[in-house]
DNA sequence: CGCTTGCTTCAAGTGCACTTGAAGGTCCTA
DNA sequence: TAGGACCTTCAAGTGCACTTGAAGCAAGCG
């Protein structure tokens, strides 16, 4: 695995809000990952990473002197957040929109907050539904486990 | 909307385990719903209901004298459960498999229990992830809300 | 020097879960 | 008896999120 090469560039607009201290495979300063490294770290395939970049979900990926992608810790953080958003069920198109807002800078803090608040509400609803589903599953599991005696039968 | 017609038939193998007293639009005995009624009640489209039947996810739907589907409360219960399973992320193919087990009768209680226990574990994991996601969202929302003072920035 | 490895782009293909279209049957009301 | 509402089947189409294939460049090793 070839590592480091190109020299640093003025940072493009980023998420700006990296919340928790998620550990990176390499410390800042030595964080130039190849696409296959990022694939290994994130579980996303290399084509998916290219596609994310293409559609604008992973913007401003740097390139080495010979045109190969060099991802940084910033990209890993963003991908981790994208993974979270994906878990909420947010469509990729909406994530692309959000990524666009991030790139436009602080002016979009308001809209970003609204989006995340809406997402938050959806997650809460989803969790409540899953909680109910858990109850249904438990009831059925009990029924199947203790077959003859259990609750109702049709 | 045309309603009731055909006369009752010996019940085919059903879920056998109807847990909660979910209310039905019409009481047992008068429960013969047209496809559009079921579509209205469940939120599924009529083509989707036909397709569910076709692939074996909704077996043994009765027919009226002229070949039209007549769904019963049993079908509504099953569809409600299918909706729950869908919420867990279970693929339709797996639900079809489960439906097959239900049709095969009590011999499959063991396997059904295993499937639901596995599903249950997945739901628990998913809920934990959503909980973490909620924390991440909250942190970002706070950041975007109280912009200048807040925690970290890249 | 040629081979292998790993990257590149661009276009086409895949899998899932439906959705839509076409053509036709049946029943009720005017 | 004509129209409209509602149903039927079968086949093809859609949208999303990737995945796969084809063709080619660049670096490192024997």
């Amino acid at each position: 695995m070839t590592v480091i090469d190109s020299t640093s560039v003025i940072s493009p607009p980023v998420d700006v809000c990296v919340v928790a201290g998620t550990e990176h495979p390499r410390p800042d300063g030595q964080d130039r990952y190849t696409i296959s490294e990022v694939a290994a770290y994130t579980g996303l395939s290399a084509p998916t990473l290219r596609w994310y970049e293409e559609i604008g979900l992973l913007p401003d990926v740097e390139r080495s002197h010979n045109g190969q992608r060099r991802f940084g810790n910033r990209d890993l953080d963003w991908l981790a957040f994208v993974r979270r958003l994906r878990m909420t069920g947010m469509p990729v198109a909406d994530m692309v929109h959000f990524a666009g807002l991030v790139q436009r800078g602080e002016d979009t803090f308001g809209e970003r907050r609204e989006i995340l608040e809406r997402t938050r509400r959806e997650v809460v609803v989803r969790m409540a539904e899953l909680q109910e589903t858990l109850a249904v599953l438990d009831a059925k599991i009990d029924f199947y486990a203790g077959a003859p005696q259990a609750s109702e039968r049709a």
Side-chain angles (χ1 to χ4, degrees), chain A:
Chain A
M1 286 185 184
T2 331
V3 185
I4 310 176
D5 44 37
S6 63
T7 41
S8 222
V9 187
I10 33 94
S11 326
V14 208
D15 189 7
V16 130
C17 159
V18 177
V19 174
T22 333
E23 284 161 33
H24 298 125
R26 283 199 286 277
D28 291 2
Q30 287 117 62
D31 57 329
R32 327 298 1 268
Y33 310 102
T34 65
I35 198 164
S36 58
E37 285 174 318
V38 175
Y41 295 137
T42 62
L44 297 166
S45 72
T48 297
L49 291 168
R50 292 193 192 99
W51 178 69
Y52 276 8
E53 189 191 10
E54 184 188 331
I55 64 175
L57 181 53
L58 183 52
D60 300 312
V61 176
E62 283 187 45
R63 299 293 180 129
S64 72
H65 68 91
N66 61 351
Q68 295 190 352
R69 289 170 184 81
R70 289 298 177 256
F71 299 84
N73 285 338
R74 204 188 328 109
D75 298 313
L76 293 186
D77 292 337
W78 174 249
L79 286 171
F81 183 54
V82 163
R83 185 179 142 272
R84 293 246 163 249
L85 289 183
R86 225 182 5 158
M87 282 187 356
T88 69
M90 183 184 287
V92 165
D94 292 9
M95 295 195 271
V96 169
H97 175 69
F98 191 90
L101 295 179
V102 170
Q103 263 189 305
R104 278 172 46 202
E106 306 202 355
D107 292 359
T108 65
F109 273 17
E111 189 180 347
R112 287 193 238 172
R113 212 194 77 227
E114 282 169 32
I115 290 170
L116 296 192
E117 280 176 347
R118 196 178 325 125
T119 304
R120 202 212 121 94
R121 285 192 294 275
E122 289 165 7
V123 169
V124 169
V125 169
R126 189 179 297 261
M127 284 183 71
E129 288 173 336
L130 284 179
Q131 191 65 59
E132 287 170 42
T133 296
L134 224 44
V136 171
L137 289 176
D138 283 339
K140 295 223 179 227
I141 288 166
D142 282 357
F143 174 77
Y144 289 141
Q149 74 278 19
S151 43
E152 291 106 58
R153 17 195 344 171

